[in-house]
Amino acid sequence: MEPPLTARCIAIDKARREIIEKKYLEFLKDNPNTTIQESPEQTLIVIELLQRITLAISDLPDRPRLCLLLYYIEGLKQADIAKQLNLTTRTVQHDLAKAMVHCHQWIQKNT
């Protein structure tokens, strides 16, 4: 029997938060020359912002989410994304714009 939806959502959110926090702290450890000198409070604020961004991205439909991740995380050019996903470059541009608007609105609404 599956746990109630709320309990599952809480467990997923906790796991996401732990992953984001771990990755951010690893980044700080692996990049000691970074000029970021943050207090524990500032680190927590950044981690919470990263968590909200992750939730906003996960709320996107599949194709705009994939375009966003390929463009901003993988660093692919829009033309390369279009080729890889068998889309037009214009469709990729539209999906990226849609994804950015969605994320901005999601973060504003859930802050």
Side-chain angles (χ1 to χ4, degrees):
M1 184 168 136
E2 283 190 37
L5 185 59
T6 304
R8 232 176 63 219
C9 290
I10 291 170
I12 290 169
D13 286 346
K14 183 177 185 287
R16 280 185 184 143
R17 180 182 174 90
E18 289 171 356
I19 290 168
I20 292 166
E21 183 174 353
K22 180 182 175 194
K23 287 187 180 277
Y24 179 67
L25 293 174
E26 283 175 4
F27 169 80
L28 291 177
K29 185 180 111 189
D30 293 342
N31 296 285
N33 296 331
T34 305
T35 58
I36 300 172
Q37 295 180 352
E38 297 180 349
S39 68
E41 294 82 14
Q42 290 170 317
T43 301
L44 182 60
I45 290 169
V46 170
I47 289 170
E48 288 175 354
L49 176 60
L50 290 171
Q51 181 182 20
R52 286 195 302 269
I53 292 168
T54 301
L55 292 172
I57 291 171
S58 68
D59 193 46
L60 281 165
D62 290 341
R63 195 179 74 203
R65 181 178 58 240
L66 184 56
C67 288
L68 184 86
L69 294 174
L70 290 173
Y71 187 72
Y72 287 103
I73 304 299
E74 298 297 326
L76 294 180
K77 296 178 182 177
Q78 292 176 4
D80 294 333
I81 296 168
K83 190 175 186 179
Q84 183 175 333
L85 300 179
N86 198 29
L87 303 169
T88 65
T89 302
R90 180 76 181 128
T91 300
V92 171
Q93 292 169 344
H94 175 77
D95 282 354
L96 287 170
K98 180 179 176 180
M100 293 302 291
V101 168
H102 169 84
C103 289
H104 177 73
Q105 290 173 343
W106 192 98
I107 290 169
Q108 293 299 315
K109 186 175 84 173
N110 294 286
T111 299

